[in-house]
Amino acid sequence: NAGVMQNPRHLVRRRGQEARLRCSPMKGHSHVYWYRQLPEEGLKFMVYLQKENIIDESGMPKERFSAEFPKEGPSILRIQQVVRGDSAAYFCASSPFSAPSSYNEQFFGPGTRLTVL
Amino acid sequence: DAKTTQPNSMESNEEEPVHLPCNHSTISGTDYIHWYRQLPSQGPEYVIHGLTSNVNNRMASLAIAEDRKSSTLILHRATLRDAAVYYCILRSRGRNFNKFYFGSGTKLNVKP
């Protein structure tokens, strides 16, 4: 059973370009979470999605960032007009359900490391 | 959201036990205590969780203080592969249950 997959693993963009980060959740998981990690810091929650719905985007910057999780295909985190401050590791996690059960763990992918030149 | 406090770093010798502390003095009665770890260049992985009672699994043990204001993750025999950043996370029942709040964590260095 493959784990959470993210691609690309490394992405280099110039200022002003767009970055698209993809996340395929574990099989059977319908909930996806995106986190951002700046160097030497812990992960910061960005957004929580179910299929075709954004449940909580309270951690998303107000501009340039968007996320989707279509009915078919991976979840996409899109960053428009990237700036140097967007350089970070972006992690995706998935879970099978959202009910507050103590067994509802989040399984993390290996991350995409975005570098903005 | 309840916060956690962990030492920035700890060091251990291989094959010896390691006790990683976490303070969470503002924990509420329904908050779960979770531990995740992040190996270098990888995403976090689940280690263990508990509510009130001490817990054991194949990776570690979790000792929870009687007043729940602190907890300790115990690695019984540290190996070089255990070198990672360990995060203590409180999960509150309710609308924020699925938003993990990672602090700075404790960076564990294991010496051979």
Side-chain angles (χ1 to χ4, degrees):
Chain A
N1 185 15
V4 177
M5 299 176 68
Q6 292 187 247
N7 66 79
R9 294 293 306 276
H10 299 274
L11 181 62
V12 179
R13 286 286 179 265
R14 297 190 180 279
R15 281 180 295 171
Q17 292 183 320
E18 178 179 286
R20 281 184 180 241
L21 288 61
R22 295 175 184 77
C23 169
S24 297
M26 288 181 70
K27 187 177 181 180
H29 287 193
S30 58
H31 300 264
V32 166
Y33 316 85
W34 285 93
Y35 294 82
R36 177 166 63 176
Q37 184 175 35
L38 297 172
E40 305 302 318
E41 294 187 10
L43 283 72
K44 297 289 190 290
F45 169 83
M46 298 181 75
V47 62
Y48 162 33
L49 309 104
Q50 293 178 25
K51 288 280 187 181
E52 301 184 282
N53 284 307
I54 296 175
I55 306 303
D56 185 336
E57 57 182 348
S58 57
M60 288 278 271
K62 294 284 188 284
E63 297 177 348
R64 304 187 296 108
F65 284 72
S66 62
E68 62 176 11
F69 188 17
K71 187 176 180 181
E72 302 290 338
S75 175
I76 306 287
L77 179 67
R78 181 182 179 206
I79 311 171
Q80 295 178 290
Q81 300 176 327
V82 296
V83 301
R84 289 221 174 102
D86 297 332
S87 295
Y90 293 82
F91 291 94
C92 165
S94 72
S95 67
F97 49 88
S98 66
S101 158
S102 67
Y103 296 99
N104 182 24
E105 298 310 321
Q106 293 184 13
F107 297 84
F108 285 81
T112 294
R113 280 148 186 84
L114 172 65
T115 301
V116 179
L117 301 177
Chain B
D1 301 289
K3 300 231 185 286
T4 62
T5 304
Q6 300 176 252
N8 288 334
S9 62
M10 292 185 65
E11 201 164 74
S12 169
N13 293 317
E14 198 176 11
E15 302 292 315
E16 291 185 355
V18 182
H19 291 236
L20 298 166
C22 180
N23 287 322
H24 29 79
S25 58
T26 59
I27 191 171
S28 73
T30 55
D31 287 345
Y32 286 94
I33 301 161
H34 288 245
W35 285 80
Y36 277 69
R37 72 179 185 181
Q38 186 175 19
L39 279 65
S41 300
Q42 296 187 27
E45 65 175 353
Y46 169 81
V47 178
I48 201 167
H49 76 277
L51 184 61
T52 56
S53 304
N54 294 343
V55 183
N56 299 296
N57 67 20
R58 64 176 180 81
M59 289 182 71
S61 295
L62 176 61
I64 301 173
E66 195 169 337
D67 64 5
R68 300 207 330 125
K69 294 184 185 299
S70 65
S71 60
T72 302
L73 178 70
I74 302 166
L75 306 179
H76 296 285
R77 291 178 64 196
T79 68
L80 296 178
R81 291 186 61 196
D82 291 322
V85 178
Y86 287 78
Y87 296 99
C88 170
I89 299 167
L90 299 183
R91 296 185 74 183
S92 306
R93 284 182 179 254
R95 65 183 183 89
N96 288 329
F97 183 74
N98 291 302
K99 293 164 63 171
F100 279 16
Y101 291 89
F102 288 81
S104 300
T106 296
K107 186 173 184 179
L108 176 65
N109 181 36
V110 180
K111 296 186 295 183

